[in-house]
Amino acid sequence: MYAIVEIAGQQFKVQKDQKLFVNRLKQEEGANVTFDTVMLKDVDGNVTVGTPKIEGASVEATIIKHIKGDKILVFHKKRRKGYQKLNGSRPYLTQIQIKDIK
């Protein structure tokens, strides 16, 4: 059983008891969250596709912790001009665990 759900502006394929990193959520650690934008649901080979979402379907998850992700480096260069620029950033992420797909 799996579902395609939209979490914090991105789509994820989730299964029960799966842990994943998503963009930072506003709730505190240990809180339960429900995501209502389920776009596809598969129950033992029976696939339901929403238009654009499935009414009445939801995914429940628990927030495990808030972290900062690995550093992302962006390097710009223009050849033969002597121009180089290096920028870096660390995204704010939230680790969640999927509890149930309804």
Side-chain angles (χ1 to χ4, degrees):
M1 177 176 194
Y2 70 90
I4 306 287
V5 63
E6 182 178 336
I7 302 171
Q10 295 179 327
Q11 296 177 9
F12 294 93
K13 178 181 177 182
V14 297
Q15 295 178 343
K16 188 175 179 181
D17 298 327
Q18 177 184 5
K19 293 181 182 177
L20 65 145
F21 294 100
V22 298
N23 289 335
R24 181 67 61 101
L25 300 175
K26 294 180 181 176
Q27 292 84 357
E28 65 277 352
E29 294 181 7
N32 293 327
V33 292
T34 302
F35 304 108
D36 295 329
T37 311
V38 178
M39 299 176 184
L40 183 138
K41 189 165 123 180
D42 180 8
V43 180
D44 299 327
N46 185 11
V47 178
T48 304
V49 178
T51 55
K53 64 179 186 173
I54 301 171
E55 297 297 326
S58 65
V59 173
E60 294 180 359
T62 303
I63 296 178
I64 298 173
K65 61 183 172 180
H66 298 296
I67 63 167
K68 285 180 74 174
D70 294 334
K71 188 161 208 168
I72 299 171
L73 298 176
V74 179
F75 183 71
H76 296 278
K77 179 178 179 172
K78 294 184 180 177
R79 57 187 206 155
R80 297 187 299 271
K81 305 296 182 200
Y83 173 79
Q84 293 183 25
K85 187 174 184 181
L86 180 67
N87 284 331
S89 65
R90 293 181 66 187
Y92 292 101
L93 301 174
T94 300
Q95 185 179 19
I96 62 172
Q97 182 172 11
I98 305 299
K99 288 188 352 185
D100 192 20
I101 300 172
K102 296 182 180 179

